[in-house]
Amino acid sequence: MDICKMPDNASKCSGSTMECFMVLSTQAQKISIATLCGLFGTLCVFENSLVLYLIFSSPRTRKKPSYIFISSLALADTLASIIFVCSFVNFHVFNGTGLSKEAFLLQLGGVNTSFSASLGSLLLTALDRYISIARPSQYKLLMTRRRAWTALGVLWAGCATVAALPLLGWNCCTLDSACSELFPFVDDRYLWGWVCLTLALLGCIGCAYAHVLCRARRHVAYMGQHQAQGGRQGTRLRMDVMLAKTLAMVLAALVLCWAPVLALMIYSLFSRLSDPLREAFAFCSTLCLLNSMVNPVIYALRSKELSSALRRVLAQCRRQLKGPEDSPEAESTHRSSGVET
């Protein structure tokens, strides 16, 4: 395994470079991390898989650009959960130091690609909502399915390219530079660039949602003054306002879950991290899974179309479970009892 130039606080480590980043020192910490990852990861995969099924099982939702972007978000969260849980638990709980530099950077690239695509999907969704509210009469012309899929293709390709840079040579082993205190083989300058890109995405999402909510507030005021003109246009405006608020809740959950991780990453670029802070970073990383788990819950609670699709699926499941009661004999018995009543 490659031995790279380690940060000052890791100089006391001996042996392979990977061992310097195993910050969980007690069995209780390892059990806690394994429990959190197992719980959040399982729920995240189940919930986001359900969202994908609900979207693509309905011809009405899978053709809408808004839900195409939401499906991209659900897919990114699903992939991030699977890759993150497997690699994180194997490294910190089972002390998986047998990976080569290339294998580890490949895993890290998969996690970075998924989380970056999740942020990018939120940005595209915010732009979609802004166009829907700012230019409702031109929305179908500006936001077509072809453009939506093209934007997602560019997004995923760009995220994969940025995430693959360490594997392609931008790492502290190849460059003989100082490694990050938080990630093996990762160059500090690359980490700084990734943090800046993440903050830029969050800033763009925040600006887009600010404009969306501003427009939504204007529409609410307009609808209050022109209640007589309700009709179809008013219904669509109310749906746009509701979806904008839903996505604002998604953004709030994203910021709250990612703020501790990004803060520690930035702090590590300017100062040395103590062992307790490095342990805190390991636990804060699980908040990323919590965010991916919260997003589908917000969809189910706020999206009327997805809620209706979920109720239809549950109704079908109940009918299948009550198969014997739906037999002709059961129906005739039910009808006779109804007549007697």
Side-chain angles (χ1 to χ4, degrees):
M1 180 175 295
D2 297 292
I3 305 298
C4 308
K5 187 183 298 183
M6 296 300 300
D8 294 337
N9 70 333
S11 59
K12 61 184 179 180
C13 299
S14 60
S16 67
T17 303
M18 303 283 281
E19 294 177 355
C20 302
F21 296 87
M22 293 182 177
V23 297
L24 302 182
S25 56
T26 65
Q27 193 67 19
Q29 291 177 341
K30 294 182 179 181
I31 293 176
S32 299
I33 284 291
T35 302
L36 291 175
C37 289
L39 178 62
F40 292 163
T42 302
L43 290 175
C44 179
V45 171
F46 172 75
E47 292 173 357
N48 284 285
S49 299
L50 180 61
V51 170
L52 288 173
Y53 173 76
L54 293 177
I55 291 176
F56 287 100
S57 63
S58 172
R60 183 178 180 181
T61 55
R62 67 168 175 255
K63 294 180 179 179
K64 292 185 176 181
S66 300
Y67 288 102
I68 292 176
F69 296 142
I70 291 177
S71 65
S72 174
L73 175 63
L75 176 62
D77 287 337
T78 301
L79 295 177
S81 301
I82 295 174
I83 303 174
F84 178 84
V85 169
C86 292
S87 59
F88 196 77
V89 171
N90 178 64
F91 183 78
H92 285 289
V93 178
F94 298 105
N95 300 331
T97 58
L99 292 176
S100 63
K101 179 189 70 176
E102 290 75 16
F104 180 85
L105 291 177
L106 181 62
Q107 286 185 351
L108 184 63
V111 175
N112 287 345
T113 299
S114 302
F115 281 127
S116 299
S118 178
L119 286 173
S121 299
L122 279 175
L123 177 58
L124 292 178
T125 307
L127 295 176
D128 172 76
R129 286 298 88 203
Y130 176 76
I131 296 174
S132 176
I133 292 180
R135 299 182 179 180
S137 60
Q138 303 176 2
Y139 174 76
K140 291 185 178 180
L141 296 177
L142 296 175
M143 188 59 65
T144 62
R145 278 180 291 171
R146 181 176 181 180
R147 289 181 177 179
W149 285 112
T150 301
L152 286 179
V154 173
L155 167 68
W156 280 86
C159 293
T161 301
V162 173
L165 291 178
L167 185 61
L168 297 176
W170 192 354
N171 58 75
C172 54
C173 293
T174 303
L175 301 177
D176 194 24
S177 57
C179 291
S180 167
E181 293 185 63
L182 298 174
F183 304 100
F185 311 119
V186 174
D187 181 75
D188 271 340
R189 289 170 295 181
Y190 173 81
L191 180 60
W192 176 249
W194 188 85
V195 169
C196 289
L197 176 62
T198 302
L199 292 176
L201 286 174
L202 288 173
C204 292
I205 295 172
C207 292
Y209 278 128
H211 284 86
V212 166
L213 295 179
C214 181
R215 288 278 185 173
R217 180 174 298 181
R218 293 179 183 177
H219 281 306
V220 170
Y222 177 84
M223 289 160 56
Q225 297 176 358
H226 302 78
Q227 293 181 357
Q229 300 179 4
R232 184 175 180 181
Q233 183 178 5
T235 302
R236 188 175 70 176
L237 290 177
R238 285 193 294 271
M239 291 177 62
D240 288 338
V241 170
M242 183 176 180
L243 189 52
K245 293 179 179 179
T246 298
L247 297 174
M249 293 171 60
V250 174
L251 176 62
L254 179 74
V255 172
L256 291 176
C257 291
W258 273 87
V261 174
L262 292 175
L264 288 173
M265 285 183 184
I266 295 174
Y267 183 79
S268 70
L269 294 171
F270 294 98
S271 178
R272 283 185 270 176
L273 293 177
S274 61
D275 289 340
L277 284 178
R278 297 174 73 195
E279 293 175 0
F281 178 79
F283 280 93
C284 289
S285 298
T286 60
L287 292 176
C288 303
L289 287 177
L290 179 61
N291 173 75
S292 298
M293 184 185 70
V294 167
N295 286 343
V297 176
I298 298 177
Y299 303 150
L301 293 176
R302 301 286 298 179
S303 174
K304 185 177 296 184
E305 290 180 313
L306 290 184
S307 298
S308 300
L310 180 59
R311 285 194 295 268
R312 287 195 298 270
V313 171
L314 294 176
Q316 292 176 358
C317 293
R318 284 197 297 267
R319 285 196 296 268
Q320 292 178 357
L321 292 175
K322 295 179 180 180
E325 298 181 7
D326 294 333
S327 60
E329 293 81 1
E331 293 181 1
S332 60
T333 304
H334 178 72
R335 285 196 298 268
S336 61
S337 62
V339 172
E340 291 175 0
T341 303

